[in-house]
Amino acid sequence: MAQEGAPLTADGFLFRLSNADGSGYFIEPGYGQFADERGDNALIYVTRDQPGEGDTDLPTLGTCCNTDHRQGPFQFVEPDPQPLADTDIVIWYVPQIENDDTPGQEYCWADLTEDGLFVPEVWPCSAGPCLYQLSEPHAS
C-alpha cells in the first residue's frame, strides 16, 4: 500500500519506471497533496501483462468489501508472484477513498432529495496518481 512516509526513489517519488532507452515515468501516489483530494491510500499492484487481465474494461474484479490487500488485482499476484524483469507490466492503482457525509464537509458522496422528484446532489472527489515523464521536474 502506498502510504505517506513510504520509501522514495532518490528523485523523491514512490516509483520510477523506465525502458532500456531511458524513457519512462515517475509515479507519485495521492497522499492528499494534490488540489481537491484528501488522499486515496492506494493499494498498488504490479503484474505481468497477460491476456484477460485488464485488456478491456472490467466492470468488477473480485469482491468490493475486503478490508485488507485482497482488492481485485491481488488475484494476479497471489499465491505465486511472477518475475517482472524483461516483460511488459501492468500497474493496478486501487484507491481506498473514504466517503464523508458530514454536513458541510461532504466528499465522495451522493444523495437523492425527494420532494415528489428524485433530485441527485453530488459531492465529487478525485483520486489517482500523478505521472511525470522522467525529464519533468517534480511539480506537486
mmCIF file with all atom_site columns, all heavy atoms in Angstrom, residues 3-28:
data_model
loop_
_atom_site.group_PDB
_atom_site.id
_atom_site.type_symbol
_atom_site.label_atom_id
_atom_site.label_alt_id
_atom_site.label_comp_id
_atom_site.label_asym_id
_atom_site.label_entity_id
_atom_site.label_seq_id
_atom_site.pdbx_PDB_ins_code
_atom_site.Cartn_x
_atom_site.Cartn_y
_atom_site.Cartn_z
_atom_site.occupancy
_atom_site.B_iso_or_equiv
_atom_site.pdbx_formal_charge
_atom_site.auth_seq_id
_atom_site.auth_comp_id
_atom_site.auth_asym_id
_atom_site.auth_atom_id
_atom_site.pdbx_PDB_model_num
ATOM 1   N N   . GLN A 1 3  ? 1.722  4.586  1.289   1.00 0.00 ? 3  GLN A N   1
ATOM 2   C CA  . GLN A 1 3  ? 1.382  5.396  2.443   1.00 0.00 ? 3  GLN A CA  1
ATOM 3   C C   . GLN A 1 3  ? 2.369  6.533  2.569   1.00 0.00 ? 3  GLN A C   1
ATOM 4   O O   . GLN A 1 3  ? 3.539  6.394  2.202   1.00 0.00 ? 3  GLN A O   1
ATOM 5   C CB  . GLN A 1 3  ? 1.424  4.564  3.718   1.00 0.00 ? 3  GLN A CB  1
ATOM 6   C CG  . GLN A 1 3  ? 0.386  3.479  3.748   1.00 0.00 ? 3  GLN A CG  1
ATOM 7   C CD  . GLN A 1 3  ? 0.451  2.684  5.044   1.00 0.00 ? 3  GLN A CD  1
ATOM 8   O OE1 . GLN A 1 3  ? 1.419  2.744  5.767   1.00 0.00 ? 3  GLN A OE1 1
ATOM 9   N NE2 . GLN A 1 3  ? -0.591 1.942  5.309   1.00 0.00 ? 3  GLN A NE2 1
ATOM 10  N N   . GLU A 1 4  ? 1.893  7.645  3.115   1.00 0.00 ? 4  GLU A N   1
ATOM 11  C CA  . GLU A 1 4  ? 2.780  8.757  3.367   1.00 0.00 ? 4  GLU A CA  1
ATOM 12  C C   . GLU A 1 4  ? 3.932  8.254  4.225   1.00 0.00 ? 4  GLU A C   1
ATOM 13  O O   . GLU A 1 4  ? 3.742  7.498  5.163   1.00 0.00 ? 4  GLU A O   1
ATOM 14  C CB  . GLU A 1 4  ? 2.040  9.882  4.073   1.00 0.00 ? 4  GLU A CB  1
ATOM 15  C CG  . GLU A 1 4  ? 2.876  11.128 4.177   1.00 0.00 ? 4  GLU A CG  1
ATOM 16  C CD  . GLU A 1 4  ? 2.079  12.323 4.658   1.00 0.00 ? 4  GLU A CD  1
ATOM 17  O OE1 . GLU A 1 4  ? 0.878  12.175 4.935   1.00 0.00 ? 4  GLU A OE1 1
ATOM 18  O OE2 . GLU A 1 4  ? 2.683  13.396 4.742   1.00 0.00 ? 4  GLU A OE2 1
ATOM 19  N N   . GLY A 1 5  ? 5.137  8.643  3.853   1.00 0.00 ? 5  GLY A N   1
ATOM 20  C CA  . GLY A 1 5  ? 6.307  8.185  4.577   1.00 0.00 ? 5  GLY A CA  1
ATOM 21  C C   . GLY A 1 5  ? 6.923  6.929  3.989   1.00 0.00 ? 5  GLY A C   1
ATOM 22  O O   . GLY A 1 5  ? 7.938  6.449  4.483   1.00 0.00 ? 5  GLY A O   1
ATOM 23  N N   . ALA A 1 6  ? 6.314  6.359  2.931   1.00 0.00 ? 6  ALA A N   1
ATOM 24  C CA  . ALA A 1 6  ? 6.880  5.180  2.288   1.00 0.00 ? 6  ALA A CA  1
ATOM 25  C C   . ALA A 1 6  ? 8.232  5.552  1.684   1.00 0.00 ? 6  ALA A C   1
ATOM 26  O O   . ALA A 1 6  ? 8.458  6.702  1.313   1.00 0.00 ? 6  ALA A O   1
ATOM 27  C CB  . ALA A 1 6  ? 5.933  4.668  1.200   1.00 0.00 ? 6  ALA A CB  1
ATOM 28  N N   . PRO A 1 7  ? 9.146  4.603  1.572   1.00 0.00 ? 7  PRO A N   1
ATOM 29  C CA  . PRO A 1 7  ? 10.455 4.908  0.984   1.00 0.00 ? 7  PRO A CA  1
ATOM 30  C C   . PRO A 1 7  ? 10.301 5.449  -0.439  1.00 0.00 ? 7  PRO A C   1
ATOM 31  O O   . PRO A 1 7  ? 9.483  4.967  -1.208  1.00 0.00 ? 7  PRO A O   1
ATOM 32  C CB  . PRO A 1 7  ? 11.158 3.548  0.960   1.00 0.00 ? 7  PRO A CB  1
ATOM 33  C CG  . PRO A 1 7  ? 10.385 2.673  1.866   1.00 0.00 ? 7  PRO A CG  1
ATOM 34  C CD  . PRO A 1 7  ? 8.995  3.216  1.951   1.00 0.00 ? 7  PRO A CD  1
ATOM 35  N N   . LEU A 1 8  ? 11.097 6.465  -0.757  1.00 0.00 ? 8  LEU A N   1
ATOM 36  C CA  . LEU A 1 8  ? 11.024 7.100  -2.070  1.00 0.00 ? 8  LEU A CA  1
ATOM 37  C C   . LEU A 1 8  ? 12.298 6.831  -2.852  1.00 0.00 ? 8  LEU A C   1
ATOM 38  O O   . LEU A 1 8  ? 13.338 6.501  -2.285  1.00 0.00 ? 8  LEU A O   1
ATOM 39  C CB  . LEU A 1 8  ? 10.826 8.613  -1.909  1.00 0.00 ? 8  LEU A CB  1
ATOM 40  C CG  . LEU A 1 8  ? 9.619  9.063  -1.102  1.00 0.00 ? 8  LEU A CG  1
ATOM 41  C CD1 . LEU A 1 8  ? 9.604  10.581 -0.979  1.00 0.00 ? 8  LEU A CD1 1
ATOM 42  C CD2 . LEU A 1 8  ? 8.332  8.562  -1.732  1.00 0.00 ? 8  LEU A CD2 1
ATOM 43  N N   . THR A 1 9  ? 12.201 7.013  -4.182  1.00 0.00 ? 9  THR A N   1
ATOM 44  C CA  . THR A 1 9  ? 13.391 6.939  -5.015  1.00 0.00 ? 9  THR A CA  1
ATOM 45  C C   . THR A 1 9  ? 14.281 8.132  -4.684  1.00 0.00 ? 9  THR A C   1
ATOM 46  O O   . THR A 1 9  ? 13.865 9.076  -4.015  1.00 0.00 ? 9  THR A O   1
ATOM 47  C CB  . THR A 1 9  ? 13.022 6.997  -6.508  1.00 0.00 ? 9  THR A CB  1
ATOM 48  O OG1 . THR A 1 9  ? 12.512 8.309  -6.797  1.00 0.00 ? 9  THR A OG1 1
ATOM 49  C CG2 . THR A 1 9  ? 11.996 5.938  -6.886  1.00 0.00 ? 9  THR A CG2 1
ATOM 50  N N   . ALA A 1 10 ? 15.491 8.131  -5.182  1.00 0.00 ? 10 ALA A N   1
ATOM 51  C CA  . ALA A 1 10 ? 16.404 9.264  -4.990  1.00 0.00 ? 10 ALA A CA  1
ATOM 52  C C   . ALA A 1 10 ? 15.810 10.541 -5.574  1.00 0.00 ? 10 ALA A C   1
ATOM 53  O O   . ALA A 1 10 ? 16.166 11.643 -5.173  1.00 0.00 ? 10 ALA A O   1
ATOM 54  C CB  . ALA A 1 10 ? 17.753 8.958  -5.626  1.00 0.00 ? 10 ALA A CB  1
ATOM 55  N N   . ASP A 1 11 ? 14.873 10.393 -6.513  1.00 0.00 ? 11 ASP A N   1
ATOM 56  C CA  . ASP A 1 11 ? 14.231 11.542 -7.143  1.00 0.00 ? 11 ASP A CA  1
ATOM 57  C C   . ASP A 1 11 ? 13.029 12.044 -6.345  1.00 0.00 ? 11 ASP A C   1
ATOM 58  O O   . ASP A 1 11 ? 12.408 13.029 -6.715  1.00 0.00 ? 11 ASP A O   1
ATOM 59  C CB  . ASP A 1 11 ? 13.772 11.168 -8.560  1.00 0.00 ? 11 ASP A CB  1
ATOM 60  C CG  . ASP A 1 11 ? 14.912 10.635 -9.398  1.00 0.00 ? 11 ASP A CG  1
ATOM 61  O OD1 . ASP A 1 11 ? 15.855 11.403 -9.648  1.00 0.00 ? 11 ASP A OD1 1
ATOM 62  O OD2 . ASP A 1 11 ? 14.860 9.458  -9.793  1.00 0.00 ? 11 ASP A OD2 1
ATOM 63  N N   . GLY A 1 12 ? 12.650 11.353 -5.278  1.00 0.00 ? 12 GLY A N   1
ATOM 64  C CA  . GLY A 1 12 ? 11.555 11.789 -4.429  1.00 0.00 ? 12 GLY A CA  1
ATOM 65  C C   . GLY A 1 12 ? 10.198 11.227 -4.802  1.00 0.00 ? 12 GLY A C   1
ATOM 66  O O   . GLY A 1 12 ? 9.173  11.749 -4.391  1.00 0.00 ? 12 GLY A O   1
ATOM 67  N N   . PHE A 1 13 ? 10.168 10.134 -5.551  1.00 0.00 ? 13 PHE A N   1
ATOM 68  C CA  . PHE A 1 13 ? 8.907  9.514  -5.966  1.00 0.00 ? 13 PHE A CA  1
ATOM 69  C C   . PHE A 1 13 ? 8.826  8.107  -5.401  1.00 0.00 ? 13 PHE A C   1
ATOM 70  O O   . PHE A 1 13 ? 9.827  7.510  -5.023  1.00 0.00 ? 13 PHE A O   1
ATOM 71  C CB  . PHE A 1 13 ? 8.812  9.463  -7.497  1.00 0.00 ? 13 PHE A CB  1
ATOM 72  C CG  . PHE A 1 13 ? 8.711  10.817 -8.110  1.00 0.00 ? 13 PHE A CG  1
ATOM 73  C CD1 . PHE A 1 13 ? 9.841  11.503 -8.503  1.00 0.00 ? 13 PHE A CD1 1
ATOM 74  C CD2 . PHE A 1 13 ? 7.478  11.436 -8.272  1.00 0.00 ? 13 PHE A CD2 1
ATOM 75  C CE1 . PHE A 1 13 ? 9.752  12.767 -9.055  1.00 0.00 ? 13 PHE A CE1 1
ATOM 76  C CE2 . PHE A 1 13 ? 7.372  12.693 -8.827  1.00 0.00 ? 13 PHE A CE2 1
ATOM 77  C CZ  . PHE A 1 13 ? 8.518  13.361 -9.213  1.00 0.00 ? 13 PHE A CZ  1
ATOM 78  N N   . LEU A 1 14 ? 7.621  7.564  -5.388  1.00 0.00 ? 14 LEU A N   1
ATOM 79  C CA  . LEU A 1 14 ? 7.461  6.204  -4.900  1.00 0.00 ? 14 LEU A CA  1
ATOM 80  C C   . LEU A 1 14 ? 7.979  5.192  -5.921  1.00 0.00 ? 14 LEU A C   1
ATOM 81  O O   . LEU A 1 14 ? 8.574  4.187  -5.556  1.00 0.00 ? 14 LEU A O   1
ATOM 82  C CB  . LEU A 1 14 ? 5.990  5.922  -4.573  1.00 0.00 ? 14 LEU A CB  1
ATOM 83  C CG  . LEU A 1 14 ? 5.721  4.613  -3.862  1.00 0.00 ? 14 LEU A CG  1
ATOM 84  C CD1 . LEU A 1 14 ? 6.458  4.535  -2.531  1.00 0.00 ? 14 LEU A CD1 1
ATOM 85  C CD2 . LEU A 1 14 ? 4.237  4.429  -3.636  1.00 0.00 ? 14 LEU A CD2 1
ATOM 86  N N   . PHE A 1 15 ? 7.751  5.484  -7.212  1.00 0.00 ? 15 PHE A N   1
ATOM 87  C CA  . PHE A 1 15 ? 8.196  4.580  -8.267  1.00 0.00 ? 15 PHE A CA  1
ATOM 88  C C   . PHE A 1 15 ? 8.887  5.345  -9.378  1.00 0.00 ? 15 PHE A C   1
ATOM 89  O O   . PHE A 1 15 ? 8.501  6.474  -9.696  1.00 0.00 ? 15 PHE A O   1
ATOM 90  C CB  . PHE A 1 15 ? 7.010  3.839  -8.916  1.00 0.00 ? 15 PHE A CB  1
ATOM 91  C CG  . PHE A 1 15 ? 6.288  2.919  -7.986  1.00 0.00 ? 15 PHE A CG  1
ATOM 92  C CD1 . PHE A 1 15 ? 5.037  3.265  -7.506  1.00 0.00 ? 15 PHE A CD1 1
ATOM 93  C CD2 . PHE A 1 15 ? 6.833  1.707  -7.612  1.00 0.00 ? 15 PHE A CD2 1
ATOM 94  C CE1 . PHE A 1 15 ? 4.345  2.419  -6.655  1.00 0.00 ? 15 PHE A CE1 1
ATOM 95  C CE2 . PHE A 1 15 ? 6.148  0.866  -6.764  1.00 0.00 ? 15 PHE A CE2 1
ATOM 96  C CZ  . PHE A 1 15 ? 4.899  1.224  -6.284  1.00 0.00 ? 15 PHE A CZ  1
ATOM 97  N N   . ARG A 1 16 ? 9.864  4.717  -9.970  1.00 0.00 ? 16 ARG A N   1
ATOM 98  C CA  . ARG A 1 16 ? 10.489 5.200  -11.203 1.00 0.00 ? 16 ARG A CA  1
ATOM 99  C C   . ARG A 1 16 ? 10.459 4.020  -12.157 1.00 0.00 ? 16 ARG A C   1
ATOM 100 O O   . ARG A 1 16 ? 11.044 2.972  -11.889 1.00 0.00 ? 16 ARG A O   1
ATOM 101 C CB  . ARG A 1 16 ? 11.926 5.633  -10.955 1.00 0.00 ? 16 ARG A CB  1
ATOM 102 C CG  . ARG A 1 16 ? 12.621 6.058  -12.229 1.00 0.00 ? 16 ARG A CG  1
ATOM 103 C CD  . ARG A 1 16 ? 14.103 6.299  -11.993 1.00 0.00 ? 16 ARG A CD  1
ATOM 104 N NE  . ARG A 1 16 ? 14.725 6.585  -13.266 1.00 0.00 ? 16 ARG A NE  1
ATOM 105 C CZ  . ARG A 1 16 ? 15.498 7.617  -13.494 1.00 0.00 ? 16 ARG A CZ  1
ATOM 106 N NH1 . ARG A 1 16 ? 15.777 8.464  -12.531 1.00 0.00 ? 16 ARG A NH1 1
ATOM 107 N NH2 . ARG A 1 16 ? 16.016 7.793  -14.685 1.00 0.00 ? 16 ARG A NH2 1
ATOM 108 N N   . LEU A 1 17 ? 9.735  4.183  -13.265 1.00 0.00 ? 17 LEU A N   1
ATOM 109 C CA  . LEU A 1 17 ? 9.622  3.137  -14.271 1.00 0.00 ? 17 LEU A CA  1
ATOM 110 C C   . LEU A 1 17 ? 10.321 3.616  -15.526 1.00 0.00 ? 17 LEU A C   1
ATOM 111 O O   . LEU A 1 17 ? 10.043 4.709  -16.016 1.00 0.00 ? 17 LEU A O   1
ATOM 112 C CB  . LEU A 1 17 ? 8.154  2.846  -14.586 1.00 0.00 ? 17 LEU A CB  1
ATOM 113 C CG  . LEU A 1 17 ? 7.304  2.421  -13.407 1.00 0.00 ? 17 LEU A CG  1
ATOM 114 C CD1 . LEU A 1 17 ? 5.854  2.314  -13.814 1.00 0.00 ? 17 LEU A CD1 1
ATOM 115 C CD2 . LEU A 1 17 ? 7.789  1.097  -12.869 1.00 0.00 ? 17 LEU A CD2 1
ATOM 116 N N   . SER A 1 18 ? 11.217 2.797  -16.056 1.00 0.00 ? 18 SER A N   1
ATOM 117 C CA  . SER A 1 18 ? 11.908 3.220  -17.272 1.00 0.00 ? 18 SER A CA  1
ATOM 118 C C   . SER A 1 18 ? 12.179 2.039  -18.183 1.00 0.00 ? 18 SER A C   1
ATOM 119 O O   . SER A 1 18 ? 12.294 0.900  -17.744 1.00 0.00 ? 18 SER A O   1
ATOM 120 C CB  . SER A 1 18 ? 13.211 3.938  -16.928 1.00 0.00 ? 18 SER A CB  1
ATOM 121 O OG  . SER A 1 18 ? 14.066 3.106  -16.184 1.00 0.00 ? 18 SER A OG  1
ATOM 122 N N   . ASN A 1 19 ? 12.258 2.363  -19.474 1.00 0.00 ? 19 ASN A N   1
ATOM 123 C CA  . ASN A 1 19 ? 12.600 1.395  -20.506 1.00 0.00 ? 19 ASN A CA  1
ATOM 124 C C   . ASN A 1 19 ? 14.108 1.376  -20.684 1.00 0.00 ? 19 ASN A C   1
ATOM 125 O O   . ASN A 1 19 ? 14.827 2.229  -20.149 1.00 0.00 ? 19 ASN A O   1
ATOM 126 C CB  . ASN A 1 19 ? 11.932 1.786  -21.835 1.00 0.00 ? 19 ASN A CB  1
ATOM 127 C CG  . ASN A 1 19 ? 10.437 1.667  -21.756 1.00 0.00 ? 19 ASN A CG  1
ATOM 128 O OD1 . ASN A 1 19 ? 9.915  0.675  -21.277 1.00 0.00 ? 19 ASN A OD1 1
ATOM 129 N ND2 . ASN A 1 19 ? 9.738  2.689  -22.210 1.00 0.00 ? 19 ASN A ND2 1
ATOM 130 N N   . ALA A 1 20 ? 14.590 0.450  -21.481 1.00 0.00 ? 20 ALA A N   1
ATOM 131 C CA  . ALA A 1 20 ? 16.026 0.347  -21.744 1.00 0.00 ? 20 ALA A CA  1
ATOM 132 C C   . ALA A 1 20 ? 16.577 1.629  -22.366 1.00 0.00 ? 20 ALA A C   1
ATOM 133 O O   . ALA A 1 20 ? 17.737 1.977  -22.146 1.00 0.00 ? 20 ALA A O   1
ATOM 134 C CB  . ALA A 1 20 ? 16.303 -0.842 -22.659 1.00 0.00 ? 20 ALA A CB  1
ATOM 135 N N   . ASP A 1 21 ? 15.747 2.368  -23.116 1.00 0.00 ? 21 ASP A N   1
ATOM 136 C CA  . ASP A 1 21 ? 16.214 3.606  -23.750 1.00 0.00 ? 21 ASP A CA  1
ATOM 137 C C   . ASP A 1 21 ? 16.184 4.799  -22.794 1.00 0.00 ? 21 ASP A C   1
ATOM 138 O O   . ASP A 1 21 ? 16.501 5.917  -23.171 1.00 0.00 ? 21 ASP A O   1
ATOM 139 C CB  . ASP A 1 21 ? 15.407 3.913  -25.011 1.00 0.00 ? 21 ASP A CB  1
ATOM 140 C CG  . ASP A 1 21 ? 13.954 4.254  -24.739 1.00 0.00 ? 21 ASP A CG  1
ATOM 141 O OD1 . ASP A 1 21 ? 13.538 4.316  -23.553 1.00 0.00 ? 21 ASP A OD1 1
ATOM 142 O OD2 . ASP A 1 21 ? 13.204 4.462  -25.719 1.00 0.00 ? 21 ASP A OD2 1
ATOM 143 N N   . GLY A 1 22 ? 15.774 4.576  -21.541 1.00 0.00 ? 22 GLY A N   1
ATOM 144 C CA  . GLY A 1 22 ? 15.755 5.653  -20.550 1.00 0.00 ? 22 GLY A CA  1
ATOM 145 C C   . GLY A 1 22 ? 14.436 6.403  -20.469 1.00 0.00 ? 22 GLY A C   1
ATOM 146 O O   . GLY A 1 22 ? 14.246 7.223  -19.583 1.00 0.00 ? 22 GLY A O   1
ATOM 147 N N   . SER A 1 23 ? 13.513 6.150  -21.390 1.00 0.00 ? 23 SER A N   1
ATOM 148 C CA  . SER A 1 23 ? 12.213 6.814  -21.309 1.00 0.00 ? 23 SER A CA  1
ATOM 149 C C   . SER A 1 23 ? 11.383 6.158  -20.213 1.00 0.00 ? 23 SER A C   1
ATOM 150 O O   . SER A 1 23 ? 11.601 5.001  -19.864 1.00 0.00 ? 23 SER A O   1
ATOM 151 C CB  . SER A 1 23 ? 11.479 6.737  -22.650 1.00 0.00 ? 23 SER A CB  1
ATOM 152 O OG  . SER A 1 23 ? 11.168 5.388  -22.958 1.00 0.00 ? 23 SER A OG  1
ATOM 153 N N   . GLY A 1 24 ? 10.446 6.892  -19.673 1.00 0.00 ? 24 GLY A N   1
ATOM 154 C CA  . GLY A 1 24 ? 9.599  6.321  -18.638 1.00 0.00 ? 24 GLY A CA  1
ATOM 155 C C   . GLY A 1 24 ? 8.934  7.390  -17.807 1.00 0.00 ? 24 GLY A C   1
ATOM 156 O O   . GLY A 1 24 ? 8.821  8.542  -18.231 1.00 0.00 ? 24 GLY A O   1
ATOM 157 N N   . TYR A 1 25 ? 8.518  7.000  -16.604 1.00 0.00 ? 25 TYR A N   1
ATOM 158 C CA  . TYR A 1 25 ? 7.739  7.880  -15.744 1.00 0.00 ? 25 TYR A CA  1
ATOM 159 C C   . TYR A 1 25 ? 8.128  7.722  -14.288 1.00 0.00 ? 25 TYR A C   1
ATOM 160 O O   . TYR A 1 25 ? 8.534  6.651  -13.845 1.00 0.00 ? 25 TYR A O   1
ATOM 161 C CB  . TYR A 1 25 ? 6.243  7.549  -15.863 1.00 0.00 ? 25 TYR A CB  1
ATOM 162 C CG  . TYR A 1 25 ? 5.681  7.840  -17.216 1.00 0.00 ? 25 TYR A CG  1
ATOM 163 C CD1 . TYR A 1 25 ? 5.653  6.866  -18.200 1.00 0.00 ? 25 TYR A CD1 1
ATOM 164 C CD2 . TYR A 1 25 ? 5.190  9.103  -17.520 1.00 0.00 ? 25 TYR A CD2 1
ATOM 165 C CE1 . TYR A 1 25 ? 5.140  7.141  -19.460 1.00 0.00 ? 25 TYR A CE1 1
ATOM 166 C CE2 . TYR A 1 25 ? 4.680  9.386  -18.768 1.00 0.00 ? 25 TYR A CE2 1
ATOM 167 C CZ  . TYR A 1 25 ? 4.662  8.402  -19.738 1.00 0.00 ? 25 TYR A CZ  1
ATOM 168 O OH  . TYR A 1 25 ? 4.161  8.689  -20.969 1.00 0.00 ? 25 TYR A OH  1
ATOM 169 N N   . PHE A 1 26 ? 7.933  8.815  -13.546 1.00 0.00 ? 26 PHE A N   1
ATOM 170 C CA  . PHE A 1 26 ? 7.888  8.772  -12.100 1.00 0.00 ? 26 PHE A CA  1
ATOM 171 C C   . PHE A 1 26 ? 6.411  8.644  -11.747 1.00 0.00 ? 26 PHE A C   1
ATOM 172 O O   . PHE A 1 26 ? 5.551  9.203  -12.427 1.00 0.00 ? 26 PHE A O   1
ATOM 173 C CB  . PHE A 1 26 ? 8.402  10.084 -11.482 1.00 0.00 ? 26 PHE A CB  1
ATOM 174 C CG  . PHE A 1 26 ? 9.859  10.331 -11.673 1.00 0.00 ? 26 PHE A CG  1
ATOM 175 C CD1 . PHE A 1 26 ? 10.292 11.395 -12.461 1.00 0.00 ? 26 PHE A CD1 1
ATOM 176 C CD2 . PHE A 1 26 ? 10.808 9.536  -11.045 1.00 0.00 ? 26 PHE A CD2 1
ATOM 177 C CE1 . PHE A 1 26 ? 11.640 11.646 -12.617 1.00 0.00 ? 26 PHE A CE1 1
ATOM 178 C CE2 . PHE A 1 26 ? 12.163 9.792  -11.203 1.00 0.00 ? 26 PHE A CE2 1
ATOM 179 C CZ  . PHE A 1 26 ? 12.577 10.853 -11.988 1.00 0.00 ? 26 PHE A CZ  1
ATOM 180 N N   . ILE A 1 27 ? 6.112  7.950  -10.673 1.00 0.00 ? 27 ILE A N   1
ATOM 181 C CA  . ILE A 1 27 ? 4.732  7.823  -10.205 1.00 0.00 ? 27 ILE A CA  1
ATOM 182 C C   . ILE A 1 27 ? 4.658  8.341  -8.774  1.00 0.00 ? 27 ILE A C   1
ATOM 183 O O   . ILE A 1 27 ? 5.388  7.879  -7.896  1.00 0.00 ? 27 ILE A O   1
ATOM 184 C CB  . ILE A 1 27 ? 4.238  6.368  -10.261 1.00 0.00 ? 27 ILE A CB  1
ATOM 185 C CG1 . ILE A 1 27 ? 4.300  5.854  -11.697 1.00 0.00 ? 27 ILE A CG1 1
ATOM 186 C CG2 . ILE A 1 27 ? 2.827  6.254  -9.693  1.00 0.00 ? 27 ILE A CG2 1
ATOM 187 C CD1 . ILE A 1 27 ? 3.903  4.407  -11.845 1.00 0.00 ? 27 ILE A CD1 1
ATOM 188 N N   . GLU A 1 28 ? 3.763  9.306  -8.572  1.00 0.00 ? 28 GLU A N   1
ATOM 189 C CA  . GLU A 1 28 ? 3.543  9.876  -7.251  1.00 0.00 ? 28 GLU A CA  1
ATOM 190 C C   . GLU A 1 28 ? 2.103  9.591  -6.830  1.00 0.00 ? 28 GLU A C   1
ATOM 191 O O   . GLU A 1 28 ? 1.171  10.168 -7.371  1.00 0.00 ? 28 GLU A O   1
ATOM 192 C CB  . GLU A 1 28 ? 3.785  11.385 -7.286  1.00 0.00 ? 28 GLU A CB  1
ATOM 193 C CG  . GLU A 1 28 ? 3.617  12.048 -5.950  1.00 0.00 ? 28 GLU A CG  1
ATOM 194 C CD  . GLU A 1 28 ? 3.872  13.547 -6.009  1.00 0.00 ? 28 GLU A CD  1
ATOM 195 O OE1 . GLU A 1 28 ? 3.866  14.144 -7.096  1.00 0.00 ? 28 GLU A OE1 1
ATOM 196 O OE2 . GLU A 1 28 ? 4.084  14.121 -4.927  1.00 0.00 ? 28 GLU A OE2 1
#
